[in-house]
Amino acid sequence: MIDNYKTRHYYGFDFLKAVGCFLILFHHYVDDTGVDWPGSNIHLGYIVEMFFIISGILSYKYVNGIEQDTPIGRILIRKYLRFLPMLLSGGIVCGILDYIYDVTLNGRVWGYSTQTVVFSLFGVSRWFSEDYMLNNPVWYISVLLLVYVVFFAATKLSKKAGINPVIVYVVLFVAGNVLRFMAGKGYISGPFLGVSIGRGLIGFFEGILLWSVVERFGLRERKEATIVAGLIGVATITVFIVYPGFAEVGEYYKLLLILFPALAVFFGGFMFDNVPENVFTKNISKASYYFYIWHYPVIMVFFVLDAKVGVNFADVTVFAGTFVGTLLLSIIMTCTSMAVIHKRKNTMQM
C-alpha cells in the first residue's frame, strides 16, 4: 500500500529544516520587534519555500505508487489528523495570548472573526483568504495540506487519463507562478486564489520536478551533482551577504531557482547517506515541526510582557537576552510536545 511506502531517510533535509526553523524564528522576532539587523535586506520568510521544496521531494516517492484505485482520501485524512493536534494546541495558545495583548492590555477590539478562529484552528484558513491565522506561521501547513490534495488528485487523474504525471506537475508549477503574480497584484482574489497557495504550488512542485531529475542520476553523477550544488550554494549565500544589492531585484526567484535547489541537492546528497542513527538524528525532524509550531506563541509571550511592563527591544542587550529566552522557551515547548503528544510510532514530518 502507498501509505506504507518506505524509502531511505534524508538526514540532510532534517538538518536543513532545523536550521530553517531557527532562521524563521529570527525572522519573526526581528520583524515583530522592528529592530534592524545587518542582513535585513534579505527576506528570511522565503525560507518557507525551502520547506515546500523539501515536502515536494519527500512526496516524490509516492508518484509511482499512486494508481487509479489508490484510496487517496484515506491517505489525506491520515496526514491531516497527524497535523491537527498541534494546529489546535498552537492556535488556542496564540488566540489566548493575542486576546490578552489586544483586549486586556491595550483596550482594542479583538481582530479575529469566529470564522477566522475556526478556520485557523483546523488549518484551512489560507484556503479561503490571506487573513492572518491565530498562529500565523502555520499558514505553511494550511497551504501544504491543500497542495497534498492537489498532488495526490493530479497524480491519480493523470494516470487514469494516460498522461505522464510530470507534464501535469509542470503545469501546476507554472500555474503557481501565475497565481502568485496575479493575486499579488490584486488582479484576482477569493477562495483558493491566494498568493500563499501560489507559493505552495511553486515550491512543492519544484521539489517534485527537481527530484524527478535527481533520481535518474547514477552514483557518479549524484556525487558530482552534490559537489557542484554545494559550491553553488556557498557562492550564492556569499553573494547575498557581501553584495546587499543582490537581494533587491528578483530575490524570490534567485532563492527559488538558484539557492534552494542547490541546497536541496546538496543536503539530499551522498554526504549524508551514512549519518549514524541516534536519539538526536532520529528526532530532529519532528522536533523541527514542533519548534515551528511553538516559536510564534512564545514570541507572543514576550509581547504580552512588553505590553505589561515595557521591554526596550531596541537595546542590543535586551534584544539579545529576550531572543535567547524565546529560543530556549521554544525548545522547552518542543521537548514537552514531543514527550506528551508525540507518542505514535508513525512520526510527523514537515
Side-chain angles (χ1 to χ4, degrees):
M1 295 294 295
I2 186 172
D3 44 346
N4 291 324
Y5 192 90
K6 301 294 182 181
T7 187
R8 75 185 183 92
H9 190 90
Y10 291 96
Y11 288 107
F13 289 160
D14 293 347
F15 173 76
L16 189 56
K17 286 185 288 185
V19 174
C21 285
F22 171 80
L23 293 176
I24 286 290
L25 165 64
F26 183 73
H27 161 67
H28 286 142
Y29 197 80
V30 168
D31 266 14
D32 288 352
T33 57
V35 177
D36 289 330
W37 63 287
S40 57
N41 61 302
I42 300 173
H43 184 57
L44 293 177
Y46 286 145
I47 289 173
V48 173
E49 265 66 13
M50 185 74 250
F51 294 158
F52 279 123
I53 290 173
I54 292 174
S55 295
I57 291 171
L58 296 178
S59 296
Y60 177 75
K61 65 187 178 184
Y62 296 122
V63 173
N64 293 329
I66 298 175
E67 303 295 343
Q68 295 183 31
D69 60 348
T70 299
I72 60 175
R74 187 182 68 190
I75 297 167
L76 291 168
I77 290 173
R78 186 175 298 179
K79 282 184 174 292
Y80 174 69
L81 291 177
R82 292 176 188 168
F83 282 110
L84 187 57
M86 290 308 300
L87 288 172
L88 290 169
S89 301
I92 290 171
V93 172
C94 266
I96 293 171
L97 290 170
D98 190 78
Y99 187 88
I100 293 172
Y101 181 81
D102 276 348
V103 181
T104 305
L105 297 179
N106 288 304
R108 298 195 292 251
V109 176
W110 201 42
Y112 292 100
S113 66
T114 301
Q115 175 179 289
T116 300
V117 170
V118 173
F119 284 1
S120 292
L121 292 176
F122 288 93
V124 297
S125 184
R126 284 298 170 95
W127 298 15
F128 304 103
S129 76
E130 292 291 301
D131 293 344
Y132 263 62
M133 300 174 67
L134 291 174
N135 187 4
N136 196 56
V138 302
W139 74 262
Y140 154 70
I141 296 174
S142 179
V143 171
L144 181 62
L145 289 168
L146 180 61
V147 173
Y148 276 143
V149 174
V150 174
F151 164 66
F152 280 102
T155 305
K156 185 172 182 176
L157 292 174
S158 64
K159 290 190 175 183
K160 186 175 182 179
I163 302 172
N164 186 339
V166 172
I167 297 175
V168 179
Y169 302 152
V170 171
V171 172
L172 289 168
F173 174 77
V174 174
N177 281 275
V178 173
L179 177 57
R180 176 181 175 269
F181 174 79
M182 297 290 284
K185 293 293 184 179
Y187 299 144
I188 57 174
S189 62
F192 305 102
L193 294 176
V195 173
S196 299
I197 294 174
R199 290 174 63 182
L201 291 171
I202 294 169
F204 186 91
F205 287 102
E206 177 179 324
I208 290 276
L209 293 170
L210 176 64
W211 232 241
S212 70
V213 175
V214 171
E215 286 291 278
R216 297 176 184 272
F217 290 168
L219 181 60
R220 179 179 176 182
E221 293 170 317
R222 187 170 169 235
K223 288 184 176 181
E224 291 173 348
T226 301
I227 294 170
V228 172
L231 293 174
I232 292 174
V234 170
T236 306
I237 292 172
T238 301
V239 172
F240 267 106
I241 294 173
V242 176
Y243 302 101
F246 185 69
E248 293 177 1
V249 180
E251 177 189 15
Y252 179 80
Y253 284 105
K254 287 171 183 175
L255 294 171
L256 191 79
L257 301 178
I258 302 174
L259 179 58
F260 292 162
L263 292 177
V265 173
F266 178 77
F267 284 95
F270 74 96
M271 293 183 180
F272 297 89
D273 281 350
N274 298 314
V275 172
E277 186 174 287
N278 52 47
V279 173
F280 176 76
T281 57
K282 284 173 62 178
N283 289 287
I284 187 172
S285 180
K286 56 178 177 275
S288 297
Y289 167 65
Y290 288 126
F291 185 92
Y292 187 85
I293 291 289
W294 284 118
H295 82 275
Y296 200 68
V298 170
I299 288 175
M300 292 184 67
V301 169
F302 282 89
F303 280 95
V304 168
L305 182 65
D306 176 41
K308 186 68 175 176
V309 301
V311 178
N312 182 18
F313 292 107
D315 183 277
V316 175
T317 303
V318 173
F319 176 85
T322 52
F323 176 74
V324 171
T326 301
L327 176 62
L328 293 176
L329 187 53
S330 297
I331 293 173
I332 291 171
M333 292 301 297
T334 295
C335 295
T336 302
S337 296
M338 291 174 67
V340 174
I341 298 176
H342 198 94
K343 296 180 179 179
R344 291 172 297 178
K345 184 178 179 180
N346 199 355
T347 61
M348 181 69 254
Q349 297 268 345
M350 278 185 69

